[in-house]
Amino acid sequence: MQSGVKTAAASMMIPFTTGMTMTGDFQIEGQAPAPGQALPKADFRIVSPSYFEALHIPILNGRGFLQTDRPGHPDVAVLNRSAAIHLWGSHDPLGTRFSADGGKTWNQVVGVVGDIKQYGLDKDVVDEIYVPMAQNPMGQASLVVKNRGGTDEHRARRH
């Protein structure tokens, strides 16, 4: 017997939920802010490796998270398109590093994904940085489940 689950993922916050945000500033390696200039800010998301697949968020450049992105391996992150454009400008963010703790630890950017309207269809896209759950344990998570036999799968079988 085949399970009805096609993909399952976990996240600290799924789209269209309110109340929980993790907005923080960070430092991009080699880009010190000018005196009086604020550090860049983004919303941080803690997600499992299959999160982008489960929510149909396309990987535009680089890669998503792997099972090997865990403690003992270099800390990694994925940016949304908006953050890559707004915060890295014309520079390719892949391979660059940033620190959200004053330089104690550094995350390497390994991918860029498409934008989603995290806070609602009527809200603007925000700059988001995704980090893998295995490297950033948290207390509670929301589960995202994509089941088999949905509309998309029925269409695929008919054609």
Side-chain angles (χ1 to χ4, degrees), residues 4-25:
V5 175
K6 185 174 181 181
T7 307
S11 173
M12 60 169 261
M13 180 179 163
I14 58 174
F16 306 131
T17 57
T18 57
M20 178 189 260
T21 60
M22 263 182 55
T23 302
D25 55 13

Side-chain angles (χ1 to χ4, degrees), residues 72-140:
H73 291 81
D75 290 340
V76 295
V78 170
L79 311 174
N80 72 343
R81 182 177 178 273
S82 176
I85 291 169
H86 293 142
L87 304 173
W88 270 258
S90 62
H91 297 93
D92 181 359
L94 291 185
T96 64
R97 298 187 327 156
F98 69 88
S99 177
D101 61 6
K104 293 178 195 145
T105 60
W106 294 88
N107 290 68
Q108 183 174 23
V109 177
V110 296
V112 176
V113 296
D115 291 335
I116 61 170
K117 292 198 168 198
Q118 182 71 37
Y119 298 108
L121 296 176
D122 60 335
K123 307 289 185 209
D124 291 334
V125 170
V126 298
D127 295 335
E128 294 179 300
I129 297 176
Y130 298 91
V131 294
M133 191 173 285
Q135 292 180 338
N136 301 275
M138 58 182 182
Q140 292 185 325

